[in-house]
């Protein structure tokens, strides 16, 4: 049976598979601050893919990346410890750099991180949810997107982004991302816990 919370997800997707929110800011100096002040951690360390991350929220407010930059599914099978996205709600020292975008969702944030997708790095085709019970939705913030070298496909469509602008993306649909440039691609992925309040907050920032 599809629960009432999951029906809220349909409210978000009614407006499109992906769309910008009226949450924008200057991201020009953030990459330099991240590289100068923090140590990047291997993202999903079981995979030999050239990508790293920094936790914006984590279990304990730390930056170890364990297990918040791991696959929660694979972490469970290795350790027997089950976590949900909502467990990762403690701000880390990285959070203030993104507060202008994340503060409206502060009460609803789950696992949230910034990813450095290095040259040749990619996310293979996948869905973030294959259950009838969807508990969270994804917001995406590109910091240095380039249409000539970054390819983000949602189903069969290539998406284009404006740097420093937050987007909703329906990641229950098949999607893939890869970087063909020598320069890393930096972006934020925020998991927002699905509720009537978080959906209403998102809708508030719709354009038009």
């Amino acid at each position: 049976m599809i629960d009432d919370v999951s029906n809220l997800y349909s409210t978000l997707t009614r407006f499109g598979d992906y769309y910008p929110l009226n949450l924008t800011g200057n991201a020009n100096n953030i990459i330099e601050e991240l590289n100068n002040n923090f140590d990047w951690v291997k993202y999903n360390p079981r995979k030999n893919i050239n990508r790293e991350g920094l936790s914006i929220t984590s279990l304990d407010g730390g930056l170890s990346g364990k297990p918040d930059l791991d696959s929660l599914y694979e972490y469970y099978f290795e350790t027997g410890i089950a976590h949900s996205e909502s467990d990762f709600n403690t701000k880390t020292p990285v959070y203030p750099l993104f507060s202008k975008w994340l503060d409206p969702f502060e009460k609803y944030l789950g696992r949230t991180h910034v990813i450095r997708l290095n040259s040749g790095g990619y996310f293979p085709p996948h869905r973030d949810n294959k259950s009838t019970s969807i508990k969270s939705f994804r917001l995406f913030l590109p910091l240095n997107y380039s249409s000539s070298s970054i390819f983000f496909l949602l189903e069969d469509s290539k998406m284009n982004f404006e740097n420093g602008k937050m987007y909703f993306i329906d990641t229950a649909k098949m999607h893939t991302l890869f970087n063909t440039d020598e320069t890393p691609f930096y972006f934020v992925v925020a998991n927002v816990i699905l509720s009537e309040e978080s959906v209403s907050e998102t809708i508030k920032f719709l354009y038009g």
Side-chain angles (χ1 to χ4, degrees):
M1 178 180 295
I2 299 175
D3 57 39
D4 290 338
V5 174
S6 294
N7 284 334
L8 287 169
Y9 196 80
S10 298
T11 301
L12 291 170
T13 58
R14 180 186 308 156
F15 303 105
D17 293 338
Y18 92 107
Y19 46 83
L21 301 178
N22 192 17
L23 281 169
T24 62
N26 189 335
N28 291 342
N29 298 322
I30 290 179
I31 292 173
E32 183 178 359
E33 290 194 51
L34 291 171
N35 287 329
N36 287 343
N37 296 302
F38 301 101
D39 295 323
W40 292 87
V41 176
K42 178 75 173 175
Y43 182 85
N44 199 341
R46 295 173 182 79
K47 302 288 192 298
N48 186 27
I49 302 176
N50 197 4
R51 53 193 183 179
E52 299 161 297
L54 286 170
S55 300
I56 297 174
T57 62
S58 67
L59 282 176
D60 58 2
L63 292 169
S64 70
K66 299 178 181 178
D68 32 291
L69 296 178
D70 202 346
S71 162
L72 298 186
Y73 180 80
E74 293 177 6
Y75 183 80
Y76 168 72
F77 278 97
E78 181 179 285
T79 66
I81 301 172
H83 287 293
S84 64
E85 299 291 352
S86 59
D87 293 337
F88 301 86
N89 57 10
T90 304
K91 297 176 185 176
T92 75
V94 178
Y95 184 94
L97 293 175
F98 300 101
S99 60
K100 68 180 73 174
W101 295 278
L102 297 176
D103 277 355
F105 307 99
E106 182 180 8
K107 294 186 293 185
Y108 322 109
L109 280 182
R111 189 166 55 145
T112 299
H113 39 259
V114 56
I115 293 175
R116 180 166 72 181
L117 191 65
N118 294 309
S119 180
Y122 64 95
F123 285 78
H126 67 286
R127 301 177 189 272
D128 290 336
N129 193 295
K130 292 184 283 188
S131 169
T132 59
S133 181
I134 297 179
K135 303 297 185 184
S136 61
F137 60 93
R138 291 282 179 94
L139 298 179
F140 180 81
L141 174 67
L143 302 182
N144 66 329
Y145 169 79
S146 169
S147 61
S148 63
S149 58
I150 306 301
F151 296 87
F152 197 140
L153 302 178
L154 186 65
E155 299 289 351
D156 296 326
S157 300
K158 182 179 184 296
M159 294 187 287
N160 289 298
F161 303 103
E162 181 180 326
N163 289 317
K165 179 173 288 187
M166 187 81 86
Y167 292 79
F168 166 81
I169 301 179
D170 180 5
T171 57
K173 289 185 166 58
M174 190 72 75
H175 57 287
T176 185
L177 169 64
F178 50 98
N179 178 14
T180 65
D181 203 340
E182 294 182 1
T183 301
F185 174 42
Y186 297 80
F187 59 94
V188 171
V189 175
N191 283 283
V192 182
I193 307 308
L194 194 60
S195 68
E196 188 170 349
E197 292 79 11
S198 64
V199 170
S200 296
E201 190 69 21
T202 304
I203 293 172
K204 186 172 76 176
F205 290 103
L206 284 175
Y207 283 91

